[in-house]
Amino acid sequence: MNGYKRTHYCGLLTKANAGETVQLSGWVQRTRDLGGVVFVWLRDREGMVQLVFDDTVCDEATVKLGKSLRGEYVVTVVGEVRERAAEAVNTQMATGEIEVVVKEADLLNKSETPPIYIDDKAEENETVRLKYRYLDLRKPSMFNRLKLRHQIIANVRSYMDAQGFVDVETPILTKSTPEGARDFLVPYRGKAGEFYALPQSPQIYKQLLMLAGFDKYYQVARCFRDEDNRADRQPEFTQVDVEMSFIEPEDIQTVIEGAFARVFEAVKGIKLELPLPRMTWRDAMENYGSDKPDTRFDMKLVDVSDVANDCGFPVFADAVANGGTVRGINAKGCADMTRKQIDALGEFVKTYRAKGLAWVAFPQGAAPKSSFNKFLSDELLEGLKTRMNAEEGDILFFVADKKAVALQALGALRIDIAKKRDLIDPNRFDLFWVTEFPLFEYDEEEGRYVAMHHPFTSWMAEDEQYLESAPDQVRAKAYDLVLNGIEMGSGSIRIHRSDVQARMFDMIGLSQEEAMHRFGFLLEAFKYGTPPHGGFAFGVDRLVMILTGSDNLREVLAFPKAQNANCLMMGTPSDVQDVQLKTLHIQVTE
């Protein structure tokens, strides 16, 4: 036996290997002792194969070793690959047509009974899975997801290299800047009370690289944001970061489309049609109530304000009279919903600040039903039915409120209904651009306009006239890439002149002193011939999540954080020794 160096992976053996002598190393999945013969399933990262310890082939010590094996023991064996008899073929195993008759074996390590089952069929509590992640990663499904992740990144790197991009690493210890989320701060012992920040993105560094003349930059970058966790968010994440000089939006969009096309063809066998479709932000909001719409099903939002105005139904009429709107969706074929289900939807939209949900149902072979029958005149009924293309079997839902509330509530409702009624094809991938975002959005808490994307985004030249008089009318040279209702990434053409950047800071209420304190190095750099430039970044984790059909990011990361941002395996965040805090001049108070 050649130590424990394998000649093949277990899961890659086929009938073509019959008659070969192989050495395999891995973990025991299960055993069956039939007396003179012991069957063992051996597992490695590529799959499993059946071993046969037969006392007519191997010596007594080897058979004894085979009988002693238990789940997750680590062994290495030498044996001959042979085809199984037709009646013994296991169609549930990729290697089910063969088995390996053991001649020699060596037990490399024993294992206690694991706290989780190393089996994809086992339903484990996620808390236990995360605590024992190193065992959870032994499951074939986990390995396959991480292998696909590797393939995605490898294909992106290959594609970007071929396009002439240069991979440049940027610092992890950087400066705290206002980018929309909270920074993770890192104290430095050399300067009491002063901190580094972990980068939310390499945004400023990549702009400086354009100033430096690098022209085409990319990086598979680690980013950090101290945000509340959810299924598609982690405090640390990976994105492919890209920046180019002397471009317009179409130039960088073409590059990103090419990268996605390479990935989809390489890992899913899907050929994307390029260029990808475009949808303006305004159309996305009006039709889907979201700037990252899921277009795999219909159910578009419809404006019925004119039909509902002066209809006699106070909820509708008052909303329109107060400058609001009445919007609706047609859940086709869903008129069989129970009253309990409809009431639950009403409570659902309230979580999006809507005051309530009105509805009209058209049951098969029965008269229409409505939550506002008292006010539902024949004229209003016909108007709503015509405007919303309603037929027997459909149910219409309406929200009457401020426009932003109505759009958001119905946008979320259409997704909720589609999921509950299985209206979404899980094997369909809708990838497209959302363009012409507003440059600003109004922050009611702070009482001022803030940058919708970030304060380095350029505006469309034709909208400059509205900067001071009507900021909400100014469109940004910004673009998002959306896949199946999830934002894959975001980008924009940047501001490249100091005077224009200063004007942008002024628009968002950032004083000259504060701007110099936070971005003085960037404003200084802009004095020295900065080229027009723009960029884009997309999330690797979210892309892997979608392409593997996973429910959340934790399924596609090797060592993720739990919902509360804790690492259950390492026990972090955790306290540190007082001497460390003293060195950093930090005092922890309750």
Side-chain angles (χ1 to χ4, degrees):
M1 184 177 293
N2 182 25
Y4 38 76
K5 185 176 181 180
R6 60 166 66 93
T7 61
H8 296 74
Y9 282 112
C10 297
L12 300 183
L13 292 173
T14 69
K15 286 197 299 184
N17 300 110
E20 295 181 17
T21 297
V22 299
Q23 181 163 351
L24 309 174
S25 297
W27 288 262
V28 173
Q29 180 72 18
R30 56 175 286 191
T31 64
R32 284 188 300 148
D33 187 350
L34 302 183
V37 179
V38 180
F39 294 101
V40 175
W41 283 4
L42 188 66
R43 185 193 73 244
D44 59 25
R45 72 175 215 183
E46 298 294 343
M48 289 187 292
V49 70
Q50 179 167 280
L51 307 180
V52 181
F53 290 79
D54 188 338
D55 60 9
T56 65
V57 176
C58 51
D59 59 35
E60 182 179 348
T62 302
V63 173
K64 183 178 180 180
L65 186 149
K67 290 178 176 291
S68 73
L69 296 179
R70 299 293 181 269
E72 301 311 306
Y73 278 25
V74 185
V75 299
T76 187
V77 302
V78 173
E80 182 179 327
V81 181
R82 74 179 181 191
E83 290 189 47
R84 295 198 201 187
E87 64 275 10
V89 169
N90 185 343
T91 58
Q92 303 303 310
M93 292 178 67
T95 58
E97 294 181 302
I98 59 165
E99 57 192 8
V100 176
V101 181
V102 177
K103 297 179 180 178
E104 301 176 66
D106 189 7
L107 175 61
L108 304 179
N109 214 333
K110 294 183 178 181
S111 171
E112 296 182 5
T113 301
I116 65 174
Y117 290 105
I118 314 302
D119 189 338
D120 283 328
K121 297 178 181 179
E123 293 289 336
E124 298 284 358
N125 180 284
E126 188 181 47
T127 299
V128 179
R129 289 181 58 203
L130 293 179
K131 183 176 181 179
Y132 298 98
R133 189 61 161 188
Y134 44 86
L135 296 177
D136 192 50
L137 289 174
R138 290 183 185 177
K139 295 177 180 177
S141 61
M142 292 302 303
F143 173 78
N144 290 333
R145 291 189 195 110
L146 293 177
K147 184 177 180 181
L148 184 137
R149 181 190 180 94
H150 157 74
Q151 292 170 339
I152 288 174
I153 294 175
N155 275 279
V156 169
R157 287 191 182 278
S158 174
Y159 172 82
M160 299 303 288
D161 292 345
Q163 300 301 311
F165 283 78
V166 179
D167 183 356
V168 183
E169 291 182 348
T170 55
I172 292 296
L173 295 176
T174 185
K175 186 178 181 68
S176 179
T177 58
E179 294 188 47
R182 288 182 295 271
D183 289 322
F184 283 103
L185 301 178
V186 182
Y188 174 51
R189 62 179 176 80
K191 291 189 176 182
E194 296 189 8
F195 299 82
Y196 294 107
L198 302 182
Q200 295 186 32
S201 76
Q203 178 64 46
I204 294 177
Y205 288 111
K206 65 182 182 181
Q207 290 192 253
L208 292 173
L209 286 170
M210 295 302 101
L211 186 146
F214 275 67
D215 185 59
K216 291 182 176 182
Y217 142 93
Y218 89 100
Q219 179 184 185
V220 180
R222 292 295 284 171
C223 304
F224 308 85
R225 293 179 185 174
D226 186 6
E227 298 179 295
D228 296 330
N229 277 6
R230 60 191 189 202
D232 64 345
R233 182 185 288 167
Q234 284 272 302
E236 52 184 313
F237 56 96
T238 303
Q239 68 182 31
V240 175
D241 200 56
V242 183
E243 198 80 5
M244 299 172 67
S245 295
F246 306 108
I247 62 163
E248 290 295 336
E250 294 78 11
D251 299 306
I252 197 159
Q253 288 167 1
T254 298
V255 169
I256 299 302
E257 289 179 355
F260 270 75
R262 168 74 72 85
V263 166
F264 268 76
E265 188 161 10
V267 306
K268 297 294 288 185
I270 296 173
K271 192 171 183 64
L272 297 180
E273 292 187 17
L274 302 182
L276 295 175
R278 266 71 170 163
M279 180 187 301
T280 67
W281 175 86
R282 187 174 300 277
D283 285 345
M285 295 302 298
E286 292 284 341
N287 291 322
Y288 300 99
S290 171
D291 58 7
K292 44 183 181 293
D294 192 334
T295 58
R296 290 174 294 172
F297 62 101
D298 197 8
M299 211 187 302
K300 291 182 180 179
L301 278 62
V302 180
D303 187 352
V304 296
S305 300
D306 57 331
V307 177
N309 192 23
D310 297 325
C311 67
F313 182 30
V315 173
F316 286 179
D318 291 350
V320 176
N322 292 325
T325 186
V326 182
R327 304 288 169 122
I329 56 174
N330 182 352
K332 299 196 76 63
C334 297
D336 58 349
M337 285 186 183
T338 66
R339 186 58 185 266
K340 183 179 180 180
Q341 291 172 326
I342 294 173
D343 289 345
L345 296 179
E347 293 302 311
F348 175 83
V349 298
K350 289 179 182 178
T351 64
Y352 292 88
R353 297 181 298 145
K355 298 180 183 67
L357 186 67
W359 55 272
V360 179
F362 298 90
Q364 293 282 359
K369 298 178 181 179
S370 173
S371 61
F372 52 101
N373 265 330
K374 180 179 177 181
F375 304 97
L376 189 60
S377 65
D378 291 341
E379 181 182 3
L380 177 58
L381 179 64
E382 192 57 35
L384 294 175
K385 186 176 181 180
T386 301
R387 177 65 59 87
M388 301 189 67
N389 190 30
E391 304 170 309
E392 279 197 4
D394 298 346
I395 183 170
L396 313 180
F397 292 104
F398 304 94
V399 171
D401 216 307
K402 295 177 182 178
K403 182 177 179 180
V405 172
L407 294 181
Q408 184 183 29
L410 283 175
L413 181 65
R414 68 181 291 274
I415 298 293
D416 188 62
I417 292 173
K419 288 180 177 179
K420 289 176 177 175
R421 304 287 295 205
D422 292 327
L423 303 179
I424 302 174
D425 181 356
N427 298 312
R428 176 174 165 180
F429 299 97
D430 278 14
L431 184 66
F432 57 93
W433 292 100
V434 176
T435 63
E436 299 184 22
F437 279 81
L439 184 65
F440 304 106
E441 58 184 343
Y442 192 76
D443 188 319
E444 294 186 0
E445 290 185 6
E446 297 191 19
R448 64 182 179 89
Y449 283 98
V450 297
M452 178 172 275
H453 276 71
H454 55 66
F456 311 108
T457 302
S458 184
W459 53 77
M460 292 190 174
E462 59 268 33
D463 292 347
E464 185 173 359
Q465 58 183 313
Y466 304 120
L467 273 175
E468 281 77 23
S469 61
D472 57 327
Q473 299 297 312
V474 181
R475 293 168 297 162
K477 285 188 175 180
Y479 32 85
D480 283 5
L481 190 61
V482 176
L483 175 59
N484 291 358
I486 295 178
E487 178 192 319
M488 282 290 97
S490 181
S492 68
I493 300 299
R494 322 302 187 188
I495 295 171
H496 65 278
R497 287 170 41 191
S498 296
D499 58 333
V500 177
Q501 187 65 69
R503 188 178 179 187
M504 179 65 173
F505 287 152
D506 184 60
M507 287 296 303
I508 62 174
L510 198 63
S511 68
Q512 184 175 357
E513 293 76 16
E514 182 70 8
M516 287 303 298
H517 175 68
R518 293 185 177 274
F519 304 110
F521 58 93
L522 183 64
L523 298 178
E524 173 71 16
F526 276 0
K527 297 177 182 178
Y528 303 106
T530 306
H533 59 283
F536 188 82
F538 65 87
V540 173
D541 311 327
R542 289 184 178 181
L543 180 57
V544 180
M545 182 179 75
I546 292 177
L547 294 186
T548 57
S550 302
D551 295 324
N552 62 63
L553 293 182
R554 295 186 291 277
E555 294 297 327
V556 299
L557 300 174
F559 300 103
K561 303 293 188 292
Q563 190 75 21
N564 60 2
N566 291 344
C567 175
L568 303 180
M569 183 184 68
M570 300 288 286
T572 57
S574 59
D575 57 6
V576 297
Q577 296 178 342
D578 289 341
V579 65
Q580 293 174 278
L581 296 176
K582 187 175 181 180
T583 301
L584 295 169
H585 310 283
I586 291 176
Q587 183 177 3
V588 178
T589 60
E590 293 185 4

